Amino acid sequence: MVLLSSSIRSGCSTGITRNERLHAIHNARKASTSRQQKRSYALLKAVAEPSDSVPFASSSEHLSEWTVDSWKNFTALQQPSYPDKNALDKGVAEIASMPPLVFAGECRTLQDRLAAAARGDAFIVQGGDCAESFDQFNANRIRDLYRLILQMSLVVMYGGGVPVVKIGRLAGQFAKPRSADLEKKGDVELPSYRGDIINGPEFTPEARIPDPQRLVKAYHQSAATLNLVRGFSTGGYAALDRVADWNLDFMSNSDEGEAYLDLAKRVKEALVFVKACGAQELSTLFNETEFFVSHECLLLDYEGALTRVDSTTGLYYGCSGHFLWCGERTRQLDNAHVEYLKGIGNPIGVKVSDKMDPSELVALIAALNPENTPGRLAVIVRMGAAKLRENFPRLIQAVQEAGQTVTWVCDPMHGNTESCNGYKTRRYDNVRAEVEAFFDVHQEMGSIPGGVHLEMTGDDVTECIGGGSSVSETDLDSRYHTHCDPRLNAEQALEMAFYVASRLRERRKHD
């Protein structure tokens, strides 16, 4: 969903000193003429013109045997076993007859943004639910997550001084990989819950049967979600002069909420000054924003049904989301998920843990990004802080020596999951420690930290321990609402954004 970026460089560093005023005037003038420049990041039309960036040509050699269904010739892990094949075929056919959820031109624009992040000219803030649910679907929850991502982006832009690529784990993040096919409670053993798009979370035989009609329901929920997010992004809700209105009500008396409101006040003062400098022609820039959606490419029947050919390039795109990623459990080179992803034109990601061998990573990157196109591939590392410091440098070194271009992203959630009082949880200090290690390793290796990928919610939950919200072990049973993995609440996520901004500011000083 290619809309208008609310990130302007002048808005990131403008203050009230004389030097900063001169800097703001320079940037405002530069922005007003940059619509003539091919690489302009900030200035886009409300409905953006499609980028001409493609990851490869439709005649590329690696596509010679690729088709939308060629993944079916490979081993497909983490797929449900539907008892009624005819019902599955009917559900898939119904989705295939529906309009695409996103468009190829939007995906190409996101590729440009990820390429900027790979160069250090932007930073990715990606976040959302571990798994979307049918029962919790409502406009307020979408709005709260959306404005939390806007808040975090503003903090990172203003403090870090770089444009932010805003990506939600949203409008498709339903399916979840499982470590075991069966779940046991007492003497009862049932199929594992694999996300609302497949079966239900209730521990009953009926709920755990994979139901193809859930695919159709997930499609319609995703379409409704995208419709709302598009409205927020272009209808004035994301306007920079409304930054104070983005604060979540329950955060009004928190330290993070107060810090955010102080920053919002400074941003509004900067906007008044920039507009007074004659930047009225940038009014669209102030009132609209870009926002993209993403999910794990896991359920291949669903992805295949929403794969469409782009008439302008001849490439196929996965039109279920702008950015799709391959998980740690499904990234095998000779398996179905890599086969599917290598043929679509979307910007894509692959998650890697400390188990990843450097030579295997180089081979995987070559398979998924054969033309070495900047912005095509993000490598999302998820290791835990200690293991990241030990293992991440050798992955970076291997990629550097191979001359490959990737966007490095930190997922500090999945390597830090533990059990406490019968709940899956994560400690904020451990999550932050992994982000700290991510920046430290990049500083040591001379490489570029491209973004963070967080499981988080705009809800006032108590699922992760610690942080400024002071969630304790005994608080876990207070507001533990996740269907799957624990999420940072809004205060914890915003606290993380302030930390990221401080590291980007430090990095900018050393450049």
Side-chain angles (χ1 to χ4, degrees):
M1 52 201 327
V2 181
L3 306 166
L4 205 37
S5 172
S6 61
S7 57
I8 62 171
R9 295 183 185 275
S10 57
C12 296
S13 56
T14 302
I16 56 174
T17 67
R18 181 177 181 274
N19 287 340
E20 289 174 326
R21 286 174 182 168
L22 293 173
H23 183 63
I25 294 171
H26 169 74
N27 279 347
R29 288 172 177 167
K30 182 178 179 181
S32 68
T33 59
S34 63
R35 62 171 52 93
Q36 303 298 325
Q37 300 173 359
K38 183 177 179 181
R39 294 180 58 198
S40 170
Y41 178 87
L43 294 179
L44 297 172
K45 295 182 179 178
V47 178
E49 296 177 354
S51 166
D52 59 2
S53 299
V54 293
F56 40 74
S58 59
S59 58
S60 179
E61 182 179 351
H62 83 287
L63 297 178
S64 61
E65 297 183 3
W66 186 91
T67 69
V68 174
D69 296 324
S70 60
W71 64 266
K72 295 180 179 179
N73 299 323
F74 295 78
T75 300
L77 301 178
Q78 298 287 335
Q79 304 303 290
S81 179
Y82 291 98
D84 188 338
K85 181 66 164 56
N86 291 332
L88 174 62
D89 292 342
K90 182 179 178 181
V92 169
E94 184 174 351
I95 295 171
S97 70
M98 297 291 186
L101 293 172
V102 303
F103 303 99
E106 299 173 346
C107 297
R108 289 194 288 274
T109 296
L110 178 56
Q111 179 182 305
D112 290 341
R113 303 294 175 260
L114 298 188
R119 298 190 303 267
D121 294 333
F123 193 82
I124 300 163
V125 172
Q126 183 176 7
D129 282 332
C130 168
E132 294 175 273
S133 84
F134 294 158
D135 290 343
Q136 297 179 4
F137 174 63
N138 63 67
N140 289 342
R141 293 192 74 252
I142 297 168
R143 177 204 61 201
D144 288 350
L145 174 62
Y146 179 84
R147 64 181 177 181
L148 175 59
I149 293 175
L150 291 185
Q151 280 185 307
M152 295 174 69
S153 299
L154 186 72
V155 169
V156 173
M157 283 190 296
Y158 193 89
V162 293
V164 169
V165 186
K166 296 175 282 296
I167 307 177
R169 287 173 56 110
L170 192 65
Q173 181 55 24
F174 291 100
K176 293 298 296 180
R178 310 307 298 182
S179 56
D181 290 335
L182 298 174
E183 178 184 356
K184 189 173 183 179
K185 290 186 178 180
D187 296 329
V188 180
E189 195 170 55
L190 295 174
S192 294
Y193 169 62
R194 291 183 173 274
D196 279 9
I197 195 172
I198 296 170
N199 56 7
E202 302 82 8
F203 194 73
T204 66
E206 297 77 16
R208 293 301 174 89
I209 297 173
D211 179 4
Q213 278 304 302
R214 287 177 170 268
L215 299 170
V216 179
K217 186 172 183 179
Y219 169 86
H220 288 296
Q221 180 167 318
S222 298
T225 300
L226 278 162
N227 183 58
L228 186 60
V229 170
R230 290 179 191 273
F232 285 152
S233 298
T234 57
Y237 185 82
L240 274 176
D241 58 6
R242 293 190 58 181
V243 289
D245 299 334
W246 297 346
N247 209 31
L248 295 157
D249 296 338
F250 61 84
M251 290 178 58
S252 57
N253 296 319
S254 70
D255 290 342
E256 288 72 28
E258 290 179 5
Y260 173 76
L261 289 175
D262 178 66
L263 182 146
K265 180 180 178 182
R266 284 181 279 145
V267 170
K268 293 185 78 168
E269 290 173 350
L271 285 174
V272 170
F273 174 72
V274 170
K275 290 180 180 180
C277 290
Q280 293 298 331
E281 65 270 26
L282 301 181
S283 59
T284 324
L285 176 64
F286 298 139
N287 292 323
E288 299 179 359
T289 193
E290 279 185 346
F291 194 94
F292 302 95
V293 297
S294 66
H295 62 267
E296 180 176 358
C297 174
L298 185 62
L299 191 53
L300 293 174
D301 285 312
Y302 180 79
E303 302 299 341
L306 283 166
T307 304
R308 310 292 164 83
V309 67
D310 172 36
S311 60
T312 63
T313 64
L315 293 179
Y316 282 89
Y317 281 81
C319 294
S320 62
H322 299 110
F323 178 84
L324 307 177
W325 74 85
C326 188
E328 166 75 7
R329 293 186 176 99
T330 56
R331 59 169 173 75
Q332 297 81 3
L333 264 171
D334 57 351
N335 279 12
H337 291 83
V338 171
E339 170 66 16
Y340 171 76
L341 285 169
K342 76 178 187 181
I344 60 173
N346 305 57
I348 57 176
V350 59
K351 288 200 176 184
V352 301
S353 71
D354 59 294
K355 301 179 181 69
M356 172 62 84
D357 180 80
S359 61
E360 183 185 359
L361 178 59
V362 169
L364 184 58
I365 292 170
L368 293 173
N369 188 17
E371 302 296 329
N372 202 24
T373 305
R376 158 66 171 176
L377 181 64
V379 176
I380 308 164
V381 291
R382 37 151 295 182
M383 298 182 182
K387 291 182 178 179
L388 187 141
R389 289 186 185 277
E390 178 183 353
N391 295 287
F392 190 30
R394 58 194 178 96
L395 297 183
I396 294 176
Q397 181 178 356
V399 172
Q400 289 174 332
E401 290 177 351
Q404 294 172 320
T405 300
V406 301
T407 306
W408 296 107
V409 177
C410 177
D411 169 2
M413 309 300 293
H414 287 88
N416 294 295
T417 306
E418 60 184 77
S419 180
C420 180
N421 297 335
Y423 292 94
K424 286 174 71 174
T425 190
R426 291 154 174 159
R427 298 182 186 274
Y428 176 84
D429 287 347
N430 293 338
V431 173
R432 171 173 161 161
E434 184 160 356
V435 175
E436 180 179 7
F438 178 74
F439 276 95
D440 287 348
V441 169
H442 279 296
Q443 185 173 335
E444 294 164 6
M445 298 296 295
S447 48
I448 297 172
V452 291
H453 181 129
L454 304 172
E455 289 186 342
M456 64 187 201
T457 176
D459 298 342
D460 186 17
V461 300
T462 55
E463 297 170 2
C464 292
I465 298 168
S469 59
S470 301
V471 176
S472 67
E473 295 181 0
T474 58
D475 291 327
L476 290 175
D477 63 355
S478 174
R479 295 181 300 280
Y480 194 97
H481 300 317
T482 183
H483 277 311
C484 197
D485 290 340
R487 305 159 294 177
L488 298 177
N489 63 28
E491 290 182 61
Q492 293 164 330
L494 195 57
E495 185 175 352
M496 183 63 69
F498 277 107
Y499 176 71
V500 168
S502 71
R503 292 305 302 259
L504 290 173
R505 183 166 55 249
E506 177 184 334
R507 182 176 179 276
R508 195 175 73 237
K509 289 179 180 177
H510 288 94
D511 284 348

